[in-house]
């Protein structure tokens, strides 16, 4: 088995790339070191303990075909498109040292004209007339005998879309997860106009080879060339699942209220791992029965539009004379939880 490896993904699917990252990290020997370079198309990547409904505009993401991907590490939510390059450095202990991987990134960028520096919050920055500007964020993961450092490099990301997806509408959520720290960012094409993914990858590979003073062949990874990745199908199924990307959300409470022609509704949802554990509904409707039945029907449903629809359908079957009222309630609620 090779001691030093360079892997270059030919896929832009975030679920594929994060699955590859995790499998390589878990299966590598403790005396190996790996550089994995990859790129995701139109994705919001959230930290392991984050709440997607708090961090993201999930309805806008669904409309625009933007994927949600939960990573194994902590930290904040970030938007990825093809103007962004991702890197992962893996190594066994005691060799694993995030200051070494950080320096390799800085050396690589310096070779193409970007003079960056590291800051205390796991970021890489440059300074311009507007001050200190972030172009790279990192997160880390360690086990007993190995560790990895992964991060992003903003080259030409569409900043307007970044703001669209990462500025959620106010929702009365008391989240027990982690809220992203928002920082001023910069694309490196303002410094190196022709920068692109290949240029960054070539520079990173050269800096990596130079640091370890060895010639290393590049291994190309793709969905068609994943047969040698142990248990890949199972890992990919988990990485792409609703249960992992949404259902792994820490417990939170969502409070909603609205007034309809037939009465007002106050709704409190306790959600754990994306499942509604308890729903408390209050209403001044003249006949509260359908609202009370709806509160009961919400229990154990997923915190999704489909979950709301299932509960509404179940209540309509019990009290069909209130179908119009219940459908109005369901349409409003479905729009609120996206």
């Amino acid at each position: 088995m090779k001691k030093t490896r360079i892997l270059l993904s030919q896929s832009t699917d975030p679920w594929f790339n994060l699955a590859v990252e995790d499998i390589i990290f878990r299966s590598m020997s403790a005396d190996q070191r790996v550089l994995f370079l990859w790129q995701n198309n139109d994705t919001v990547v959230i930290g392991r303990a984050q709440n997607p409904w708090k961090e993201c505009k999930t309805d806008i993401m669904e409309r625009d075909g933007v994927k949600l991907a939960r990573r194994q590490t902590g930290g904040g939510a970030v938007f990825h498109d093809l103007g962004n390059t991702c890197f992962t450095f893996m190594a066994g202990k005691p060799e694993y040292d995030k200051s070494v991987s950080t320096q390799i990134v800085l050396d690589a960028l310096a070779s193409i004209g970007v003079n960056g520096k590291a800051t205390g919050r796991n970021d890489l920055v440059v300074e311009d007339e507007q001050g200190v500007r972030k172009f790279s964020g990192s997160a880390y993961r360690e086990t007993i005998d190995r560790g990895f450092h992964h991060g992003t490099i903003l080259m030409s990301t569409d900043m307007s879309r970044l703001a669209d997806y990462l500025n959620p509408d106010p929702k009365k959520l008391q989240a027990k997860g982690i809220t992203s720290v928002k920082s001023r960012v910069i694309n490196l094409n303002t410094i190196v106009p022709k920068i692109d993914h290949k240029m960054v990858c070539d520079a990173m590979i050269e800096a990596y080879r130079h640091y370890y003073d060895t010639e290393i062949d590049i291994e190309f990874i793709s969905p068609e060339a994943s047969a040698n990745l142990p248990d890949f199908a199972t890992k990919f199924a988990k990485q792409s699942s609703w249960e992992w990307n949404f259902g792994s959300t820490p417990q939170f409470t969502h409070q909603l209220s609205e007034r309809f022609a037939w009465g007002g509704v106050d709704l409190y949802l306790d959600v754990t791992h994306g499942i509604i554990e308890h729903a408390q509904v209050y209403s001044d409707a003249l006949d509260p029965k359908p609202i009370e039945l709806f509160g009961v029907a919400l229990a154990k449903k997923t915190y999704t539009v489909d979950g709301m629809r299932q509960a509404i359908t179940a209540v309509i079957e019990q009290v069909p004379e209130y179908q119009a009222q219940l459908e109005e309630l369901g349409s409003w609620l479905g729009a609120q939880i996206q």
Side-chain angles (χ1 to χ4, degrees), residues 21 26 75 79 82 118 120 129 132 193 211 217 220 233 241 262 282 290 323 338:
E21 180 186 66
R26 291 175 183 273
F79 174 68
L82 297 183
E129 64 278 1
V132 176
Y211 183 86
D217 292 334
F220 295 96
S241 69
W262 43 264
Y282 303 93
Q323 179 171 349
Q338 291 188 8

Side-chain angles (χ1 to χ4, degrees), residues 48-228:
R48 184 185 182 103
Q50 285 196 291
N51 181 339
W53 293 287
K54 182 173 178 61
E55 295 296 332
C56 318
K57 288 183 177 178
T58 55
D59 56 335
I60 304 299
M61 289 169 58
E62 183 175 1
R63 182 197 71 190
D64 294 350
V66 175
K67 288 185 175 179
L68 177 80
R70 186 184 296 274
R71 60 180 183 270
Q72 294 283 344
T73 54
V78 290
F79 174 68
H80 290 186
D81 63 10
L82 297 183
N84 177 76
T85 288
C86 303
F87 60 82
T88 309
F89 293 84
M90 312 180 195
K93 293 180 178 178
E95 180 181 317
Y96 170 71
D97 184 345
K98 57 191 178 186
S99 66
V100 169
S101 48
T102 297
Q103 192 57 53
I104 290 174
V105 174
L106 290 173
D107 290 346
L109 294 174
S111 73
I112 58 175
V114 177
N115 295 313
K117 63 180 182 180
T119 68
R121 193 182 156 75
N122 312 325
D123 297 334
L124 301 182
V125 301
V126 292
E127 290 191 46
D128 63 13
E129 64 278 1
Q130 298 185 40
V132 176
R133 311 284 300 283
K134 172 182 171 180
F135 66 83
S136 175
S138 292
Y140 311 95
R141 181 182 177 194
E142 294 189 41
T143 65
I144 293 175
D145 64 348
R146 66 196 69 192
F148 80 59
H149 163 199
H150 65 185
T152 58
I153 297 174
L154 294 174
M155 302 172 300
S156 56
T157 288
D158 187 336
M159 297 295 189
S160 65
R161 299 183 71 200
L162 180 152
D164 286 344
Y165 304 130
L166 297 184
N167 288 329
D169 293 325
K171 298 175 182 177
K172 297 177 182 177
L173 299 174
Q174 293 82 47
K176 295 183 179 179
I178 301 168
T179 300
S180 294
V181 175
K182 295 177 175 62
S183 303
R184 287 194 304 169
V185 295
I186 186 173
N187 274 316
L188 293 183
N189 65 353
T190 62
I191 300 170
V192 182
K194 294 184 179 180
I195 195 170
D196 61 14
H197 182 61
K198 183 178 185 305
M199 181 187 294
V200 170
C201 288
D202 289 347
M204 293 273 279
I205 290 168
E206 183 57 33
Y208 192 70
R209 286 170 170 164
H210 178 77
Y211 183 86
Y212 291 109
D213 193 23
T214 182
E215 282 297 318
I216 314 157
D217 292 334
I218 299 170
E219 302 172 53
F220 295 96
I221 302 290
S222 70
E224 297 72 33
S226 59
N228 61 337

